[in-house]
Amino acid sequence: MSDVAARVGVSQALVSLVFRNQPGASAETRRRVFRAAEELGYRPDTAAQLLRRTRSRQLGVLFTMRHPYDVGIVEALYPAAQKHGYTLVLNAMVATRGERQAMEELLGLRSEAVITIGATSSWQHLTTGAGRTPIVEINPRTRAAGVDVVRTAEHKGIRQAVDHLVALGHRAIAHIDGGAMPGAAERRRGYRAAMRRHGLADHIRVLPGDYTEESGARAARDLLARAQLPTAVIAGNDRCAHGLLGTLLRAGVRVPEDVSIVGYDDSQLARLSFIDLTSVRQEAAEAAELAVRAAAERLDEGRTADRDIVLDPTLVVRGSTGPPRTRSTPDGGLLR
């Protein structure tokens, strides 16, 4: 910084203010400082800066790269963290390393709090004692004491999907389950409850799945092997719906004329013009903002009580759903 200060003709303290984005320097001085730094090849040593600070003001993020919705949350966490005066440290959960190892690495990098997305482990050991680390879980598979949770009201999302299909005239509505994935159990319960509420208990059909394209393809092959297709299917998520859609189309089944399809998440995949998928929208940006705010309340305001923040989803209707096609039955009646 002394070299940059000498090049610009200002004090090293002023250069430090510019690099830390603190007030005290004019716009012209900031421009000259950054230009001099670029000419000299100077880069601030972030690691050294962290060592000098009493607080790191870093939030660790533990996430997967498998689901588009999770990636959308990570993207939205950056502006949310900046708004509250924090930076992010990312660590991905992959098959070759455990969640605990990934968590320990985040703590080793001086993360003051950790935001997890769809994690499975319990972090009870980190949330007790004098040196406890605040944990905020977004859409966890299970809930633990001592952590803040930001989640979607999954049963409401599925209910909206069932209500939409019933309003179109559907009765034979199937659901592809998400297995042990985050939110799957609540979505499954919500589907069953919504079908019963409409008097369609006899039409309840749950097929196994796991939030992947292949699970949607397997479900499609299962349905195609049966004597009668349902007129509508609610997939566990958009990826599952994509696998279902592609397999049905290759088999000559028209969507939505023969089968209507609803996804979940309203990810970028659903919005593609050639997919045009009706989907239950989860607000990634809102979830990210609330998760960062919850962490900041723990760290900056000293809040100790746990928070359970529930977001309401919304159904986004596109071209993959429509009224069921009327078919003739062997006795001359009409079947929908």
Side-chain angles (χ1 to χ4, degrees):
M1 283 194 293
S2 62
D3 293 337
V4 174
R7 172 71 68 96
V8 179
V10 298
S11 68
Q12 184 174 328
L14 188 60
V15 172
S16 177
L17 287 176
V18 172
F19 284 138
R20 289 185 287 116
N21 198 29
Q22 297 295 312
S26 67
E28 174 61 20
T29 298
R30 289 178 184 276
R31 186 187 65 79
R32 292 170 56 207
V33 166
F34 285 123
R35 184 175 65 186
E38 184 176 357
E39 292 171 352
L40 293 170
Y42 172 80
R43 296 291 182 274
D45 189 335
T46 305
Q49 291 175 350
L50 286 174
L51 288 174
R52 295 183 62 183
R53 295 180 192 168
T54 304
R55 292 185 55 187
S56 70
R57 298 200 69 81
Q58 291 190 148
L59 302 177
V61 181
L62 194 61
F63 70 106
T64 72
M65 296 179 288
R66 301 187 190 96
H67 308 299
Y69 175 66
D70 294 354
V71 175
I73 291 176
V74 171
E75 184 177 357
L77 282 170
Y78 277 98
Q82 184 178 25
K83 173 183 173 182
H84 289 274
Y86 285 89
T87 58
L88 299 181
V89 181
L90 305 184
N91 212 347
M93 295 178 283
V94 296
T96 54
R97 57 206 295 269
E99 290 181 10
R100 184 173 290 270
Q101 178 186 350
M103 177 68 81
E104 293 297 338
E105 289 176 0
L106 288 174
L107 298 178
L109 292 168
R110 294 190 64 196
S111 298
E112 294 189 29
V114 177
I115 297 171
T116 72
I117 307 172
T120 60
S121 298
S122 171
W123 313 113
Q124 190 73 28
H125 66 293
L126 298 175
T127 58
T128 57
R132 64 187 181 197
T133 301
I135 307 293
V136 183
E137 297 186 315
I138 300 177
N139 291 338
R141 300 190 191 189
T142 59
R143 296 182 216 167
V147 304
D148 293 325
V149 172
V150 179
R151 59 188 176 89
T152 300
E154 310 285 2
H155 66 286
K156 290 185 179 180
I158 289 293
R159 184 180 67 198
Q160 290 176 34
V162 173
D163 290 350
H164 166 66
L165 293 169
V166 170
L168 290 172
H170 292 276
R171 294 175 59 81
I173 304 168
H175 173 52
I176 304 176
D177 186 22
M181 301 302 291
E186 189 175 350
R187 294 177 195 181
R188 181 169 58 249
R189 289 192 296 269
Y191 160 75
R192 292 182 183 276
M195 291 290 283
R196 292 191 186 100
R197 186 166 57 86
H198 285 287
L200 300 175
D202 292 342
H203 293 279
I204 291 175
R205 182 187 298 179
V206 178
L207 299 115
D210 59 9
Y211 288 179
T212 63
E213 289 87 352
E214 182 54 38
S215 71
R218 284 196 305 268
R221 291 191 291 269
D222 183 358
L223 293 173
L224 289 167
R226 303 186 185 193
Q228 186 69 57
L229 283 171
T231 63
V233 180
I234 302 172
N237 71 346
D238 291 345
R239 289 181 60 193
C240 177
H242 186 209
L244 172 73
L245 176 66
T247 305
L248 290 179
L249 290 176
R250 285 192 295 273
V253 178
R254 297 173 302 168
V255 176
E257 292 83 358
D258 297 323
V259 177
S260 286
I261 297 177
V262 179
Y264 205 107
D265 290 342
D266 193 36
S267 63
Q268 186 62 39
L269 182 66
R271 304 169 205 163
L272 294 173
S273 60
F274 56 92
I275 301 293
D276 199 28
L277 180 67
T278 295
S279 185
V280 178
R281 180 175 181 80
Q282 300 191 83
E283 293 290 348
E286 186 178 6
E289 164 62 28
L290 290 170
V292 172
R293 187 186 304 172
E297 287 173 355
R298 294 270 194 184
L299 296 169
D300 300 334
E301 301 173 18
R303 176 175 57 81
T304 57
D306 297 349
R307 293 193 63 190
D308 182 16
I309 305 169
V310 184
L311 307 180
D312 286 332
T314 55
L315 182 70
V316 180
V317 178
R318 297 191 179 90
S320 67
T321 54
R325 181 168 60 92
T326 302
R327 301 189 298 271
S328 297
T329 61
D331 60 0
L334 295 179
L335 177 67
R336 287 188 181 275

